Amino acid sequence: MRLRPRHYVLIAIIIGIFVFNIVRHRHDRETAHLNTQPAPIVVTGPRLNTPAWAAFDHAASLRDAPNTDFQPALADLQMLIPLEPNQSDGHIADIHGCLTWLEFYRQGMAQATPDPKMKQRSQTHIQNCVKYHLDTTS
């Protein structure tokens, strides 16, 4: 069988796709290595001590407890969030974000095969929420 010009074009395209995939794979691997370190947290104000944040601290301390202990603490937190006094300066969004991460953590614990990276990210985020009373992703 004799190769025609269109065969050479197809061979060139296949080789080009192969090279492109190798370059893309190396670039993705290098980028993933660079993105493993989270950005540092910069606290610009004092730590808030409100009833809602105290309820969050209590619920976060029970995050590994059974549902019979955790659910009342979560209900207290959800009841106190609308009463949060600092609604105009963004702290209400902070406590909602921290509550979301707490719920992610609980869902990850309930799964049969939880993703260890997600559990670790959730745990780190919850610890930062407790430490700074601030949603560290915003």
Side-chain angles (χ1 to χ4, degrees):
M1 174 175 168
R2 202 173 139 209
L3 294 178
R4 297 182 184 248
R6 65 176 176 240
H7 295 127
Y8 291 114
V9 171
L10 287 174
I11 291 172
I13 289 173
I14 291 171
I15 291 172
I17 290 173
F18 179 74
V19 170
F20 172 75
N21 282 330
I22 289 174
V23 170
R24 186 183 64 171
H25 176 69
R26 287 184 181 169
H27 177 69
D28 289 346
R29 193 173 52 196
E30 290 172 5
T31 305
H33 176 67
L34 295 176
N35 292 336
T36 57
Q37 296 296 328
I41 299 167
V42 178
V43 179
T44 57
R47 182 176 185 260
L48 291 176
N49 288 317
T50 63
W53 279 111
F56 177 82
D57 291 344
H58 179 64
S61 69
L62 296 173
R63 66 182 173 257
D64 291 320
N67 270 342
T68 56
D69 296 333
F70 179 73
Q71 288 303 327
L74 184 64
D76 290 343
L77 172 60
Q78 290 172 337
M79 184 181 68
L80 289 173
I81 286 177
L83 305 175
E84 182 72 15
N86 297 320
Q87 294 184 12
S88 62
D89 59 4
H91 291 291
I92 214 52
D94 287 342
I95 200 163
H96 277 293
C98 290
L99 173 62
T100 301
W101 279 99
L102 183 60
E103 290 170 347
F104 282 163
Y105 180 85
R106 288 294 290 190
Q107 289 172 358
M109 293 301 293
Q111 293 175 358
T113 56
D115 179 16
K117 286 185 177 184
M118 183 62 186
K119 180 184 173 193
Q120 191 223 8
R121 274 196 319 254
S122 298
Q123 190 170 23
T124 302
H125 194 97
I126 292 168
Q127 289 169 347
N128 287 335
C129 286
V130 169
K131 185 175 180 181
Y132 301 114
H133 281 183
L134 178 69
D135 182 14
T136 56
T137 58
S138 56

